[in-house]
């Protein structure tokens, strides 16, 4: 697979085969890729909490706000929920580039997952207190971004679209993600 194909395939996935576990080695492998991501001044301030325990996943799930554009959908049903999460933790005292570092690390992480056929969704709309209560944080840190992970149980279709930015679901429950065409993003 070329890198462009991997990038195209690596869509946000929000419905999973909940009973298909992701191995500890696979989860560690994703963090191992994320830690190689570039970061400002090579400060390497980010830390990662791996959540695969069923009870902890159950605790974290209600903290997540899923797919804001899908008003009729309140999130994955039992059986479709993420069997794992990776929580990216950052210093509470943010430096100028902290959030950029978080984004780059998260991108490496989801691409590493995608390379193994594992679906992922970055989540920044979540109840921090609930996640902190579930996994804790290093001293002076807080959870900034969650990556929900699992084997995909939904089809996600990427399509060029100049008219809309909201993702949507069709009558077969396939998830469509519009992206602006190449000639519209080049200045
Ligand atoms: C920084 C960031 C935060 C996001 N937060 C959420 C979130 O809280 N809940 C959610 O369901 N999706 C979230 N997403 C996923 C986006 O909705 C998704 O990337 C977008 O719809 C485009 O789909 P794609 O990832 O398949 O290209 C987030 C993505 C990014 C990059």
């Amino acid at each position: 697979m070329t890198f462009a194909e991997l990038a195209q395939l690596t869509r946000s996935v929000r419905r999973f085969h909940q009973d298909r576990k992701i191995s500890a080695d696979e989860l560690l492998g994703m963090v191992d890729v994320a830690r190689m991501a570039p970061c400002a001044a090579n400060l390497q301030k980010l830390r990662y909490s791996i959540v695969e325990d069923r009870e902890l996943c159950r605790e974290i799930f209600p903290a997540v706000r899923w797919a804001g554009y899908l008003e009729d959908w309140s999130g994955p049903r039992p059986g479709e929920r993420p069997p794992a999460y990776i929580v990216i933790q950052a210093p509470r005292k943010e430096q100028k580039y902290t959030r950029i570092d978080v984004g780059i690390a998260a991108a490496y992480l989801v691409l590493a997952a995608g390379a193994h056929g594992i679906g992922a969704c970055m989540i920044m709309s979540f109840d921090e207190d609930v996640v902190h209560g579930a996994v804790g944080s290093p001293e002076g840190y807080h959870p900034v971004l969650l990556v929900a992970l699992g084997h995909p149980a939904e089809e996600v279709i990427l399509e060029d679209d100049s008219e809309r930015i909201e993702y949507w679901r069709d009558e077969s429950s396939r998830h469509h993600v519009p992206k602006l065409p190449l000639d519209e993003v080049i200045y």
Side-chain angles (χ1 to χ4, degrees):
M1 195 178 352
T2 65
F3 183 75
E5 286 165 343
L6 175 64
Q8 186 170 10
L9 274 175
T10 305
R11 305 270 50 85
S12 293
V13 171
R14 298 182 182 84
R15 288 171 287 179
F16 305 94
H17 294 288
Q18 189 171 345
D19 49 9
R20 270 189 76 185
K21 299 282 284 179
I22 303 175
S23 72
D25 276 355
E26 284 175 314
L27 290 162
L28 269 179
M30 291 171 209
V31 176
D32 204 17
V33 171
R35 80 182 170 89
M36 294 180 215
C39 59
N42 203 28
L43 290 175
Q44 303 171 75
K45 292 288 189 187
L46 305 182
R47 298 294 179 266
Y48 303 85
S49 304
I50 296 177
V51 183
E52 47 174 333
D53 175 77
R54 205 182 294 251
E55 203 43 55
L56 283 183
C57 288
R58 219 193 310 257
E59 242 180 87
I60 287 178
F61 179 78
V64 176
R65 284 181 277 284
W66 297 94
Y69 287 137
L70 304 180
E71 288 172 5
D72 297 338
W73 187 69
S74 56
R77 293 181 309 210
E80 293 183 335
R81 294 176 177 170
Y85 296 87
I86 292 175
V87 182
I88 304 186
Q89 311 238 18
R92 284 187 182 277
K93 227 183 186 171
E94 288 195 9
Q95 283 161 324
K96 188 173 172 193
Y97 299 118
T98 301
R99 296 271 164 151
I100 293 176
D101 289 350
V102 169
I104 297 170
Y108 271 52
L109 214 152
V110 300
L111 286 163
H116 287 95
I118 295 166
C121 187
M122 293 183 207
I123 307 278
M124 283 194 83
S125 257
F126 65 90
D127 185 325
E128 194 185 304
D129 292 339
V130 172
V131 175
H132 176 81
V135 300
S137 298
E139 183 70 28
Y141 275 66
H142 67 149
V144 173
L145 189 151
L146 306 182
V147 181
L149 292 155
H151 293 274
E154 69 175 348
E155 190 181 344
V156 182
I157 299 161
L158 191 67
E159 48 208 9
D160 281 3
D161 193 327
S162 313
E163 306 298 325
R164 67 194 296 174
I165 55 161
E166 297 93 348
Y167 44 79
W168 55 285
R169 299 243 173 103
D170 64 24
E171 60 287 345
S172 303
S173 199
R174 287 176 302 209
H175 184 92
H176 293 254
V177 182
K179 296 285 182 193
L180 292 171
L182 179 60
D183 60 356
E184 288 189 31
V185 298
I186 305 242
Y187 174 72

